[in-house]
Amino acid sequence: MSFQPIKFYQTGTFTVGNRLLPDNERSVQSTVRRTNSLNSGHRACQGCGEALGARYAIDAAMEATEGQLIAANATGCLEVFSTPYPETSWQIPWIHSLFGNTAAVATGIAAAMRVKGRSEVRVVAQGGDGGTTDIGFGCLSGMFERNDDVLYICYDNGGYMNTGVQRSSATPPAARTATTAAVGPTPGNVFGQGKDLPLIAMAHGIPYVATAIVSELRDLEAKVRRAMEFRGARYLHILVPCPLGWGHDSSLTIRMARLAHETGIFPVFEAEGGEVTGVSRIRRQVPVEEYLKPQKRYAHLFSPKPREDVIRRIQEAADRNIRKYRLLEEA
Amino acid sequence: MLKQIEGSRAVAEAVALCRPEVICAYPISPQTHIVEALGELVKGGELSSCEFINVESEFAAMSVAIGAAAAGARSYTATASQGLLFMAEAVYNAAGLGLPIVMTVANRAIGAPINIWNDHTDVMSQRDCGWILLFAETNQEALDLHIEAFRLAQALSLPVMVCMDGFILTHAYERVDMPSQEQVDAFLPPFDPRQVLDPARPVSMGAMVGPEAFMEVRYLEHVRQMRALELIPGWAEQFRDAFGRDSGGLLHAYRTEDAETIVVALGSVLGTIKDTVDEMRARGERIGVLGITCFRPWPANTVRDALAGAKRIVVVEKSIAVGLGGIVSANVRTSFAGHADTVYTVVAGLGGRSITRQSLARVFASAAAGTLPPLTFLDLDHGLVERALARERDTRHSGPVAEGLLRDVGLVAARIS
């Protein structure tokens, strides 16, 4: 008689079944206390990593603040798919002003709460990578520098997906976008450009900076919770795969996020006061091809002529991350 | 209380009396003294319950004000010139969101060529952005208009710009009558916004609106702004009762009874024009002045009534619509029952060029004699521009013209002829 072994851990992750954990360690998403801050019915694409990331992060922030939360939102996918007039998916006080001013709007909200003596009300600002690393960068840096009491969350999908997949300063090298076409001798986005926003945030000396991925729910929630324990400027950078822009199957969103971590392409860590205080280690390093192949934005690296030289450069960058953040578990 | 203080200081103290809760500051001449003074008042504790935030740009200044106002705080900032342009996207946004922010604009020219002196090009670039625009003639009026602006803003849930001429007013030491806190508190009720960001009552602000309702949103914005035309005259009367002087209102008419020529203008130049008119009246000429205090919403009917008896209108304006001519005069033409070709545009004082009684008297006399061209540039150095035009005919070149002109002038300082 055949039998199915019971696994307490999902394959390849540390994710443990929620019911096996004590109550205080259970994920917000799997409790009845979940606020559904970003409610169902919105217009995100199937498999949208940003919708998932926003839901995880904001629900966790709601839990951490006992519902005393206000959100400012940059123009972008998240804003467009969540608030098509006269409908809204947001069950929290929420404002969208412009593409490039979200951090400053959040500063204003935080100032209003402070002056009114409502220090229990906390403020999050959220935007995509374009609204964060490019057009909103000035306001974001100002908010960091003044150490305003705001948690800024960047949902990084590596490009301007809302406007039809154009390059941003968070688009990875070699990736095809509408403005970095897969043509010519160096197809896709060029090497040696782009901003590392988490490091830039750390250079401001703000109390807390972290990166997260949507495949590690409990880690993401823990970072939101940790962020809410600080006053002052905090920054959370979440990698959110985009089936539309990355060109992967919409069922692979979680897998792509996990591979970004396990290849070393996206280091998952946290830092306090500008110093790295924790990293999410990798048990087994995955070659970058496994991450690149399912994504059509990298298709030109595999056919018609394999570009092993380019893949090697991507692998080298991943290896550097692994060395730099000591991502591999000690044997 | 009577005080002999700088215009910027007077405005700062008036703003402080309005009990702002969030002030965003970014320096730009000639506005800077206002936020400097406010920063001192907050830091010294004289203005309590107020957050003073040094931001990194004008765009951030308006954005912080947007966030603060949306969360229910009375918000204020000040800017000028390039700063107003740099925040333009947020200026429109504040109006679209219906947020009652008050902003001082210390009017200054727009570059290039860079110029820090006064004209109205900055605010005229934003005239249709959805804000209520008020223009101060004197420092006393600048001070008073801010108190009225806060009340207007929160009554209509619309942002208000108070425009005062850079340097001419902002840096001038004049006697002003500073009201007491009790007087201002009695005139300006506490801020009780219609809708705020509050966890107790979650709302979504700034949602996307498509073609199905966007026209209606804009129409309602227009209707709401037009309501200011009904409120402002009554409040000007209330202001007179409460503070004992005339300030604000839609228009100020001066010696327009039986006037055949009426001069229309905004801001501090009205003082010079009134002096000129007095001199011409003394010579028996039938001339008067109409000062526009409320430029947006445009008080079309009130202007029409005020101009009804005139044969000709001379609009003296410190801005230019390049490629058209006058901006204020284009508005005046819509409100003048007489012939449109008897509305003359006199572009004057660009980039801080002095506007003298002598020059004004010359163009007013010319208008009365029927010899004034439809568009005149007051005290334009015709020789200078003719030489530049001749050079351009001889040698084809591109790029800025300012350097060639300055070489011809031979000196950089502004000249008064």
Side-chain angles (χ1 to χ4, degrees):
Chain A
M1 182 180 161
S2 67
F3 65 94
Q4 183 77 32
I6 296 169
K7 289 179 180 169
F8 287 157
Y9 294 90
Q10 288 178 26
T11 310
T13 77
F14 291 113
T15 310
V16 70
N18 214 54
R19 63 195 167 82
L20 299 175
L21 289 168
D23 192 52
N24 61 346
E25 288 178 27
R26 291 185 184 182
S27 100
V28 175
Q29 284 303 309
S30 57
T31 67
V32 291
R33 297 189 304 275
R34 184 177 81 187
T35 47
N36 296 321
S37 304
L38 176 64
N39 211 352
S40 57
H42 57 67
R43 267 68 152 175
C45 303
Q46 189 180 47
C48 173
E50 187 175 35
L52 210 55
R55 179 193 176 93
Y56 290 174
I58 302 302
D59 278 351
M62 280 290 277
E63 169 92 359
T65 59
E66 297 177 345
Q68 299 299 304
L69 194 70
I70 298 175
N73 208 122
T75 308
C77 281
L78 179 59
E79 167 262 323
V80 170
F81 75 62
S82 66
T83 56
Y85 174 88
E87 295 164 8
T88 178
S89 283
W90 295 100
Q91 310 217 66
I92 60 170
W94 179 94
I95 184 169
H96 159 250
S97 173
L98 295 169
F99 199 2
N101 71 349
T102 314
V105 171
T107 291
I109 298 168
M113 289 303 116
R114 199 161 51 239
V115 79
K116 289 178 179 300
R118 299 187 63 184
S119 58
E120 78 284 4
V121 179
R122 309 298 300 275
V123 184
V124 293
Q126 47 183 357
D129 50 287
T132 304
T133 68
D134 288 340
I135 197 169
F137 185 67
C139 286
L140 182 66
S141 178
M143 187 275 278
F144 284 164
E145 168 271 319
R146 291 185 301 269
N147 201 23
D148 295 327
D149 190 21
V150 173
L151 168 61
Y152 190 102
I153 305 174
C154 170
Y155 305 105
D156 173 11
N157 56 19
Y160 292 92
M161 306 318 189
N162 190 42
T163 45
V165 194
Q166 293 84 22
R167 177 213 183 263
S168 79
S169 62
T171 301
R176 185 211 73 88
T177 71
T179 50
T180 54
V183 295
T186 56
N189 194 28
V190 294
F191 280 82
Q193 297 184 347
K195 296 179 195 172
D196 190 329
L197 232 288
L199 289 186
I200 294 170
M202 285 162 63
H204 286 78
I206 59 175
Y208 186 74
V209 174
T211 65
I213 44 178
V214 286
S215 50
E216 293 294 337
L217 167 62
R218 204 168 278 110
D219 175 70
L220 191 158
E221 290 183 348
K223 283 167 174 167
V224 171
R225 212 160 35 239
R226 180 75 181 132
M228 283 305 180
E229 289 171 7
F230 292 92
R231 290 281 170 173
R234 291 139 291 142
Y235 181 68
L236 180 59
H237 190 109
I238 306 176
L239 186 74
V240 292
C242 170
L244 175 81
W246 295 15
H248 62 73
D249 192 275
S250 59
S251 66
L252 296 182
T253 298
I254 297 295
R255 181 166 171 72
M256 296 319 301
R258 186 173 296 149
L259 285 169
H261 173 224
E262 291 179 344
T263 53
I265 280 176
F266 186 81
V268 179
F269 66 95
E270 59 186 334
E272 296 180 10
E275 285 179 39
V276 175
T277 52
V279 299
S280 296
R281 298 201 193 277
I282 303 167
R283 276 186 287 181
R284 176 184 63 88
Q285 185 183 1
V286 177
V288 294
E289 282 95 334
E290 281 194 40
Y291 172 72
L292 301 175
K293 257 186 187 158
Q295 303 184 41
K296 289 200 182 74
R297 62 175 174 162
Y298 296 115
H300 56 279
L301 302 183
F302 300 97
S303 74
K305 180 171 159 281
R307 292 296 303 265
E308 280 159 20
D309 54 330
V310 178
I311 295 171
R312 196 178 314 120
R313 291 187 76 176
I314 297 172
Q315 184 65 59
E316 284 165 6
D319 292 347
R320 259 197 310 279
N321 279 339
I322 286 175
R323 283 197 304 276
K324 180 175 176 183
Y325 293 96
R326 305 163 73 97
L327 294 177
L328 267 183
E329 278 184 19
E330 309 294 329
Chain B
M1 186 169 66
L2 293 179
K3 289 183 168 186
Q4 180 82 15
I5 51 176
E6 194 194 36
S8 297
R9 178 82 201 182
V11 166
E13 290 186 14
V15 168
L17 289 172
C18 296
R19 301 186 187 278
E21 293 171 297
V22 174
I23 295 171
C24 330
Y26 190 78
I28 182 167
S29 299
Q31 158 279 134
T32 314
H33 290 182
I34 300 173
V35 291
E36 283 175 0
L38 282 165
E40 195 183 323
L41 290 171
V42 173
K43 206 163 169 62
E46 291 167 73
L47 176 52
S48 56
S49 297
C50 181
E51 292 284 326
F52 184 86
I53 304 172
N54 282 295
V55 292
E56 74 283 355
S57 74
E58 288 90 354
F59 178 63
M62 184 47 60
S63 301
V64 170
I66 286 170
R74 190 177 275 166
S75 307
Y76 170 83
T77 189
T79 192
S81 184
Q82 316 296 138
L84 184 63
L85 295 198
F86 195 63
M87 68 165 65
E89 191 191 11
V91 168
Y92 273 78
N93 194 252
L97 288 170
L99 297 173
I101 299 162
V102 171
M103 174 164 68
T104 311
V105 180
N107 299 112
R108 167 185 150 182
I110 295 287
I114 187 168
N115 176 298
I116 64 164
W117 292 276
N118 164 247
D119 69 31
H120 290 168
T121 320
D122 53 3
V123 68
M124 286 303 166
S125 77
Q126 303 299 307
R127 66 188 179 277
D128 302 319
C129 67
W131 286 54
I132 292 169
L133 305 187
L134 307 177
F135 281 78
E137 181 184 337
T138 62
N139 283 350
Q140 182 68 59
E141 191 169 48
L143 180 168
D144 294 339
L145 282 179
H146 281 85
I147 300 167
E148 295 183 38
F150 277 105
R151 181 164 173 189
L152 197 56
Q154 63 191 45
L156 293 175
S157 211
L158 277 180
V160 182
M161 272 184 226
V162 181
C163 300
M164 63 190 295
D165 286 316
F167 293 112
I168 297 170
L169 294 183
T170 56
H171 287 54
Y173 280 73
E174 279 190 344
R175 192 184 75 167
V176 292
D177 189 355
M178 188 65 63
S180 67
Q181 185 67 64
E182 294 69 36
Q183 280 178 302
V184 175
D185 286 347
F187 184 78
L188 177 62
F191 183 31
D192 180 23
R194 305 168 183 196
Q195 193 184 45
V196 287
L197 296 168
D198 185 350
R201 284 181 305 167
V203 291
S204 293
M205 292 187 187
M208 172 172 261
V209 176
E212 71 281 4
F214 196 83
M215 285 277 287
E216 287 70 20
V217 170
R218 279 288 169 268
Y219 171 80
L220 291 171
E221 192 183 349
H222 173 69
V223 168
R224 198 195 285 183
Q225 198 190 83
M226 295 301 276
R227 279 202 54 223
L229 297 178
E230 300 159 21
L231 294 178
I232 288 173
W235 286 358
E237 283 178 30
Q238 284 180 30
F239 190 89
R240 189 192 305 125
D241 294 342
F243 296 88
R245 59 180 171 272
D246 279 317
S247 264
L250 299 171
L251 313 168
H252 292 308
Y254 181 76
R255 303 187 84 167
T256 51
E257 68 292 350
D258 82 350
E260 292 179 345
T261 305
I262 294 181
V263 183
V264 177
L266 318 171
S268 64
V269 73
L270 284 164
T272 316
I273 295 173
K274 285 177 187 171
D275 287 349
T276 312
V277 163
D278 285 343
E279 289 167 6
M280 294 175 77
R281 278 274 179 186
R283 293 197 296 269
E285 293 176 53
R286 291 164 67 180
I287 185 167
V289 190
L290 184 67
I292 310 281
T293 308
C294 175
F295 187 68
R296 282 291 181 276
W298 175 250
N301 293 333
T302 323
V303 172
R304 186 174 293 118
D305 292 345
L307 300 179
K311 288 183 178 166
R312 67 193 72 82
I313 311 299
V314 181
V315 181
V316 177
E317 49 184 306
K318 291 184 175 184
S319 56
I320 176 171
V322 176
L324 171 69
I327 298 170
V328 181
S329 43
N331 286 263
V332 170
R333 276 190 194 99
T334 66
S335 302
F336 183 50
H339 290 292
D341 60 3
T342 52
V343 176
Y344 299 92
T345 305
V346 178
V347 173
L350 297 187
R353 175 71 57 90
S354 294
I355 301 174
T356 63
R357 291 204 305 270
Q358 190 186 11
S359 301
L360 287 173
R362 199 163 56 234
V363 294
F364 298 161
S366 174
T371 57
L372 190 67
L375 174 62
T376 305
F377 290 78
L378 191 75
D379 292 336
L380 183 74
D381 187 335
H382 290 277
L384 195 60
V385 294
E386 282 309 323
R387 285 199 293 282
L389 290 170
R391 267 201 304 277
E392 284 180 20
R393 278 194 296 274
D394 289 347
T395 323
R396 183 178 171 276
H397 68 92
S398 56
V401 298
E403 287 74 10
L405 287 175
L406 288 175
R407 205 165 41 240
D408 273 0
V409 172
L411 75 168
V412 179
R415 293 192 308 175
I416 301 169
S417 55

